[in-house]
Amino acid sequence: MKINKLNPTALATLLALGCGSAAAADRVIIQVDNANKGMITALTKQLGGEVKVDADGFIAAQFNGRSVDDIKGILKNPHIKLIEEDLVRKPMALFNDDAGDPMQQQITPYAVYQSQANQVQFNPGAGMKVCVIDSGLDQSNPDFNWGSITGDNDSGTGNWYDNGGPHGTHVAGTIGAADNGIGVIGMAPGVAMHIIKVFNAEGWGYSSDLAHAAQKCKNAGSNIISMSLGGGGSNTTESNAFKTFTDGGGLVLAAAGNDGNNVRSYPAGYPSVMMIGANDNNNNIADFSQFPSCTLNGQTNETFCVEATAGGVDTLSTYPADMATSATLSANGTPYATSAMENPGSASAATFFMGTAQSVNSGAAGKICMIDRGVISFHDKVKNCQNSGGVGAILINNTAGMLYGTLGEGSANTTSIPAVGAAFEDRTALLAATTASIHIGTSDYGLMSGTSMATPAVAGVAALVWSNHPSCTGTQIRNALKATAKDAGAAGKDVYFGYGIVQAAAAHQYLTTNGCAGGTPTPGISLTLKSVKNKGKSYVDLTWASATTSSVDLYRNNVKVLTTANDGAHRDGPLNRGSYSYKVCEAASTTKCSASTSINL
């Protein structure tokens, strides 16, 4: 888990100092004939400009602290054809949270749109239940259907309905926050949940706790287990517990881990558990999402690595009461995304643009200061606004994205008016506004980042899809999610995204069209490969399970190589060095097959 509102000290210090490039309006394009470009370049530098681009027929230059009109005023030369603002171009966010205050209205988080969960209706009559093994679900949050939530306590953890920190409440909200007009909406709104609190006061537990919890999940009638947790090493007791749940028709999901490396975390690394990675709202992999290899101890299997992803960066969800800090911003009555900086409170007033707020300006008296980032610290900007009589401050980023920052720790912050950050993308609209309102306070809703947030998103999508196809098994739902995931990153399956970003509507349609058995690969037949050496030659040992015919067809690199008895094992070879893909199909069938699995010799 990464809690977004608690930035590392070094980053907070960097932001507090106002580090970064100057405002984009300080940068211009100067059109000039190539024959005179050297002279204009020299003049630009003489007047304090820094040449950023030297191209055919124009240069681009940065003049810190000057507007475009200022630059036009000082840069007068008959050889200059045109001076115009050098406009920012940025990647467009593909998905965003709804704007607004979740304490006052219902907000749909971006991952709901990204995963198509808003396109599928949850069927409460199907009796789906998700078992959440975590730090408890705090009963103070009103955004749950508490009549359908039960729980268990583990030894020494306390009541399951009292929080052991915000993590478990945040996770549960992503899965099943109710569609009730307030707060956020979960992937499967109002789904029944069974909560098992396994973390002690120090925030950790043992693998035996998880194995025991899996048994409790089954006893409570759960269909899905969601675990936003993990650690190093594996043991048979834990592995067997989750295999038993899966073999009984259930679905188990766990987080890949947040260290941004290829280390395998458990329980996600067990074959019976679907490993989940995290992506952001632009369909990019999260930099913290772990990506272990699909090969383990000489065996290659897609269940050893990430199988799918969902939104897990800056995820908005439920918190225990007043445990999160929130901010709201509106200008001319239109809400905008914002971040809390310092000083709880509210302000509504006319706006006043202070530029970079390097000095006191009486024009700000009684108004909300609109302030550009750059030149001086955030604290000094807000202090100058306050000393000018300003009642609140909106600090606008000078690069793409939201401005996150602080005004100094403890006594270092000598300001008292509420101050919030705003995104550079909203700068034009904010500066055009004549009135604004800002609020900073505690909230029951907040942001977290991590594969911990992506895992419950996939668990919720699974419950949503499964509620419309209740005759399917958990393995069939797992395979449907993979068969219909949106490809992202490198083309095809990869170690970062697995099959891609889960898509609820696509999975629902897939099962509607094909039934629980699906298309290719058909859920049910599992295949594991292992490379072996015998007398200096290379072979591949294939082991499979769950084929129902008396014989099976074996395919190598999409070509059938033989039909053999369905005894669950075959040695193929000898083979030359190289990469090989295999699948096992029920005899005379091209659809009732295992997933295609690859191995390198």
Side-chain angles (χ1 to χ4, degrees):
M1 172 191 72
K2 294 186 176 182
I3 302 179
N4 202 56
K5 69 190 185 74
L6 300 177
N7 294 314
T9 302
L11 177 59
T13 301
L14 180 66
L15 293 172
L17 292 174
C19 296
S21 60
D26 300 347
R27 182 161 158 159
V28 294
I29 299 173
I30 304 166
Q31 293 185 14
V32 58
D33 288 334
N34 290 337
N36 298 305
K37 192 163 55 173
M39 176 178 59
I40 299 304
T41 298
L43 177 62
T44 298
K45 293 178 179 178
Q46 181 181 345
L47 294 173
E50 181 182 359
V51 175
K52 298 292 188 179
V53 177
D54 186 350
D56 184 15
F58 69 88
I59 62 173
Q62 186 90 36
F63 290 79
N64 289 339
R66 293 184 180 273
S67 68
V68 175
D69 288 340
D70 289 340
I71 298 167
K72 289 179 178 178
I74 64 171
L75 234 169
K76 293 182 177 179
N77 188 285
H79 297 295
I80 295 176
K81 296 180 178 181
L82 176 69
I83 298 175
E84 59 186 356
E85 183 178 354
D86 197 357
L87 300 170
V88 170
R89 297 292 181 259
K90 60 181 179 61
M92 298 291 186
L94 296 176
F95 303 95
N96 295 289
D97 296 344
D98 293 345
D101 181 1
M103 295 290 283
Q104 304 295 325
Q105 64 193 90
Q106 183 165 283
I107 302 298
T108 301
Y110 79 84
V112 171
Y113 296 120
Q114 186 179 52
S115 66
Q116 302 178 338
N118 61 311
Q119 300 177 35
V120 180
Q121 187 71 32
F122 177 65
N123 175 21
M128 288 294 114
K129 182 180 286 188
V130 182
C131 192
V132 184
I133 303 175
D134 210 286
S135 62
L137 170 56
D138 198 280
Q139 62 183 344
S140 65
N141 195 291
D143 209 2
F144 293 94
N145 181 5
W146 284 98
S148 61
I149 298 177
T150 55
D152 277 311
N153 307 321
D154 225 11
S155 176
T157 63
N159 295 324
W160 65 265
Y161 48 81
D162 293 327
N163 78 81
H167 191 269
T169 302
H170 196 277
V171 162
T174 296
I175 295 171
D179 185 4
N180 57 2
I182 195 71
V184 297
I185 187 168
M187 296 291 181
V191 67
M193 287 186 278
H194 189 73
I195 310 299
I196 302 182
K197 188 175 183 179
V198 296
F199 296 150
N200 58 25
E202 288 73 40
W204 52 270
Y206 288 98
S207 58
S208 59
D209 297 323
L210 300 189
H212 191 201
Q215 297 172 357
K216 293 178 179 179
C217 292
K218 181 180 179 180
N219 293 338
S222 302
N223 308 91
I224 298 170
I225 293 176
S226 180
M227 294 179 289
S228 294
L229 47 79
S234 63
N235 64 48
T236 57
T237 302
E238 185 180 47
S239 177
N240 288 341
F242 295 119
K243 184 178 186 302
T244 297
F245 189 90
T246 298
D247 289 346
L251 173 62
V252 186
L253 307 99
N258 298 327
D259 289 333
N261 56 31
N262 62 359
V263 173
R264 197 180 321 278
S265 179
Y266 292 91
Y270 297 126
S272 63
V273 179
M274 187 175 184
M275 184 186 296
I276 305 301
N279 55 259
D280 66 13
N281 65 340
N282 274 313
N283 291 354
N284 296 318
I285 198 68
D287 59 4
F288 53 76
S289 190
Q290 284 174 223
F291 48 95
S293 166
C294 298
T295 299
L296 177 65
N297 298 327
Q299 298 184 40
T300 300
N301 193 303
E302 66 181 36
T303 62
F304 295 155
C305 48
V306 172
E307 296 183 47
T309 69
V313 179
D314 291 341
T315 299
L316 179 67
S317 189
T318 47
Y319 263 65
D322 299 330
M323 196 173 280
T325 298
S326 71
T328 58
L329 160 64
S330 65
N332 281 358
T334 300
Y336 292 91
T338 189
S339 67
M341 296 185 74
E342 303 286 349
N343 307 329
S346 301
S348 295
T351 61
F352 182 78
F353 180 52
M354 286 189 71
T356 52
Q358 298 173 61
S359 61
V360 172
N361 188 325
S362 60
K367 299 178 181 178
I368 291 179
C369 305
M370 296 282 193
I371 301 172
D372 277 330
R373 180 181 180 181
V375 186
I376 62 174
S377 72
F378 297 153
H379 172 273
D380 290 347
K381 292 173 183 289
V382 177
K383 188 69 171 180
N384 284 337
C385 171
Q386 182 173 317
N387 289 342
S388 301
V391 296
I394 300 171
L395 279 68
I396 306 172
N397 210 352
N398 59 4
T399 59
M402 178 60 63
L403 187 152
Y404 296 100
T406 67
L407 305 183
E409 298 294 329
S411 60
N413 177 23
T414 64
T415 68
S416 58
I417 60 174
V420 299
F424 176 74
E425 292 85 341
D426 295 326
R427 181 178 185 273
T428 299
L430 291 173
L431 295 187
T434 56
T435 62
S437 296
I438 60 176
H439 171 77
I440 298 176
T442 59
S443 178
D444 302 348
Y445 304 89
L447 301 174
M448 289 189 188
S449 293
T451 54
S452 284
M453 286 60 254
T455 301
V458 179
V461 168
L464 174 65
V465 173
W466 205 348
S467 77
N468 288 278
H469 304 275
S471 63
C472 296
T473 67
T475 298
Q476 289 170 332
I477 297 297
R478 178 179 182 174
N479 282 337
L481 293 178
K482 291 189 291 186
T484 57
K486 179 180 178 61
D487 191 23
K493 183 179 179 296
D494 62 74
V495 294
Y496 299 98
F497 285 94
Y499 283 93
I501 303 169
V502 292
Q503 306 283 274
H508 172 49
Q509 184 59 52
Y510 173 87
L511 291 169
T512 300
T513 301
N514 300 297
C516 293
T520 302
T522 294
I525 303 178
S526 62
L527 173 64
T528 300
L529 308 180
K530 183 177 182 180
S531 62
V532 293
K533 289 278 190 180
N534 185 17
K535 298 181 179 180
K537 296 183 178 181
S538 297
Y539 297 82
V540 174
D541 279 353
L542 295 82
T543 56
W544 64 89
S546 301
T548 60
T549 50
S550 60
S551 58
V552 295
D553 295 331
L554 303 185
Y555 288 78
R556 183 199 315 129
N557 296 339
N558 292 319
V559 176
K560 188 171 79 170
V561 291
L562 82 160
T563 299
T564 186
N566 183 18
D567 56 7
H570 175 75
R571 174 166 290 184
D572 188 39
L575 299 165
N576 296 325
R577 292 176 60 86
S579 179
Y580 298 89
S581 66
Y582 289 88
K583 67 178 178 180
V584 175
C585 299
E586 293 187 349
S589 172
T590 57
T591 59
K592 297 180 180 181
C593 303
S594 71
S596 181
T597 305
S598 298
I599 191 169
N600 292 317
L601 298 182

